[in-house]
Amino acid sequence: MKALQIIDYNGPETMVYQETENLSPREKEVLIKVNYSGVGLIDVIFARGFGQLELPAIPGLEVAGTVMELGAGVTGLQVGDRVAGLTINTLSGFSDLVSLHEDYVVKVPDCLGLDLAAAALTNTTTALVFLKEIVRLEAGSSVLVYGATGGLGSQIGQTAKLLGAKKVIAVVSNEERRQKAMDLGYDAAYLRETFFNSSEEKFDLIVDPVGGEHRKDNLQKLNTHGTLAILGNASQEEHADIDPDILWLNNINLIGFNFGGYCSQHIKTVHDYLIWTLKLVANNQIQLPELFTAPIDNAVQALLDLEEGKINGKLLLKHP
Ligand SMILES: NC(=O)c1ccc[n+]([C@@H]2O[C@H](COP(=O)([O-])OP(=O)(O)OC[C@H]3O[C@@H](n4cnc5c(N)ncnc54)[C@H](OP(=O)(O)O)[C@@H]3O)[C@@H](O)[C@H]2O)c1
């Protein structure tokens, strides 16, 4: 079998789709023939050396395909089933075959394409788990989302609405994305450059997967007992230091969350959320961002486009 691998830290340019060890499922594992691998910005950030993955490394947080073989003791799945699998704790998603513990695998509803299943798995489930289990979003809350039309941001905004937020506002980098944000159902959308000067509004929750120079200024945009949540650093910019005394003096909260860490400790809980994610997408209750598909054996340009912010949506790699 082949996989798209990171062989050095020079970015997507030097990644290669090459032969790797064949797999067979161990006890409780499901061997999946992958049709689509979902790509997150983090995968190209890994290829630039973030996290210093042991090389060669196979990135990729999510896949969708069909069950090829079952390890001993797997229940509830059969060879040939259409499934989606979370590779977030094994980082092997850019492979033609993956072998995953059954807890990380869910059936894909008949009416849902495997492309959509792969596209939804990490980001929509991150949004659900983060809003339900971590911040326990209350109905009637006001929420601000950075990178609001991106892979993760688009799911945070819609999920917040679904869970009863009364006002969900987008911050994006350009006019085209502002329009996209409105199409995704945000109540209003601001440009990042002008947001701090054009709005006096305050929020119960600010979700920031983007980072950058204004990250710390968001603390001034919180209501009392409001929370600034750091979910990533898509901009890869340096940040100004945050003075922790601001938190107690203003009765505000600062938290971080990463879905991978949560999955490694709570996969049984996450399994139920994965099922919910696919149902929401299948029932059109959550809209995915625009999908872009590249063949896995010719994906370098698409990965570079993602890194340069030219792909606004969700990139998928299609396997032969
Ligand atoms: N914490 C978690 O569990 C979790 C889960 C999934 C993803 N993430 C993180 O969330 C971030 C976004 O991931 P994603 O896969 O959703 O990426 P994405 O689809 O590429 O979206 C990233 C968004 O960030 C903004 N951005 C600002 N500067 C950027 C730059 N230099 N390059 C690219 N985007 C830039 C863009 O929005 P504007 O142009 O509108 O500002 C873009 O829409 C990443 O840092 C990722 O690691 C975290």
Side-chain angles (χ1 to χ4, degrees):
M1 74 153 193
K2 287 186 169 180
L4 182 58
Q5 302 180 40
I6 301 171
I7 54 164
D8 56 33
Y9 298 134
N10 293 321
E13 297 93 320
T14 52
M15 287 177 72
V16 279
Y17 181 60
Q18 63 182 11
E19 286 294 334
T20 182
E21 255 175 74
N22 269 330
L23 291 174
S24 53
R26 290 176 299 190
E27 194 179 347
K28 287 280 184 193
E29 281 188 356
V30 180
L31 185 69
I32 302 170
K33 155 98 187 60
V34 177
N35 289 52
Y36 292 97
S37 305
V39 185
L41 190 58
I42 192 70
D43 295 311
V44 289
I45 296 175
F46 283 140
R48 292 271 174 224
F50 178 78
Q52 296 284 295
L53 301 184
E54 194 181 319
L55 300 178
I58 307 172
L61 310 184
E62 68 223 323
V63 298
T66 50
V67 175
M68 265 190 83
E69 196 181 332
L70 298 174
V74 173
T75 53
L77 288 172
Q78 292 186 339
V79 171
D81 280 348
R82 299 164 75 247
V83 291
L86 202 55
T87 46
I88 200 161
N89 291 144
T90 46
L91 281 192
S92 55
F94 291 2
S95 309
D96 293 341
L97 298 175
V98 300
S99 192
L100 276 173
H101 190 280
E102 62 178 352
D103 290 345
Y104 288 80
V105 181
V106 285
K107 276 192 199 174
V108 175
D110 290 342
C111 60
L112 186 66
L114 290 175
D115 52 348
L116 294 170
L121 211 64
T122 298
N123 288 331
T124 313
T125 317
T126 299
L128 284 168
V129 168
F130 166 69
L131 293 172
K132 289 281 291 176
E133 300 285 331
I134 307 301
V135 289
R136 299 186 180 156
L137 189 77
E138 288 179 12
S141 300
S142 54
V143 181
L144 181 75
V145 184
Y146 279 83
T149 58
L152 178 63
S154 64
Q155 302 306 289
I156 298 272
Q158 291 179 79
T159 306
K161 273 260 155 162
L162 190 85
L163 297 176
K166 99 171 168 272
K167 186 171 67 171
V168 185
I169 309 292
V171 180
V172 290
S173 61
N174 62 45
E175 191 50 45
E176 187 192 337
R177 291 180 186 187
R178 216 180 66 76
Q179 189 50 52
K180 257 193 186 179
M182 297 310 291
D183 294 343
L184 281 168
Y186 285 92
D187 296 299
Y190 292 99
L191 295 180
R192 201 166 49 198
E193 266 184 9
T194 52
F195 171 62
F196 279 90
N197 299 326
S198 57
S199 166
E200 296 290 310
E201 272 176 280
K202 293 198 169 191
F203 299 89
D204 300 318
L205 174 66
I206 300 180
V207 184
D208 181 10
V210 175
E213 58 174 329
H214 286 303
R215 175 168 268 176
K216 114 174 157 12
D217 302 335
N218 283 301
L219 292 169
Q220 298 159 23
K221 293 265 178 202
L222 289 173
N223 288 325
T224 306
H225 303 305
T227 298
L228 170 61
I230 309 298
L231 266 70
N233 184 21
S235 70
Q236 294 286 291
E237 286 175 23
E238 298 278 325
H239 303 294
D241 289 342
I242 289 175
D243 173 3
D245 282 348
I246 289 174
L247 306 178
W248 71 268
L249 286 169
N250 293 285
N251 279 318
I252 53 175
N253 308 301
L254 175 65
I255 64 163
F257 174 71
N258 84 79
F259 183 48
Y262 188 87
C263 288
S264 62
Q265 295 186 332
H266 304 279
I267 192 58
K268 298 266 185 220
T269 306
V270 170
H271 190 264
D272 292 340
Y273 278 100
L274 294 173
I275 295 169
W276 192 14
T277 283
L278 296 188
K279 267 193 197 149
L280 288 173
V281 178
N283 295 339
N284 292 317
Q285 286 170 278
I286 292 270
Q287 190 186 333
L288 293 177
E290 190 177 351
L291 300 189
F292 298 82
T293 304
I296 191 159
D297 56 357
N298 190 12
V300 169
Q301 190 55 51
L303 294 170
L304 288 171
D305 287 348
L306 181 72
E307 184 177 33
E308 287 165 19
K310 291 183 189 158
I311 290 183
N312 189 224
K314 179 75 182 178
L315 177 62
L316 296 172
L317 302 180
K318 174 114 178 61
H319 292 252

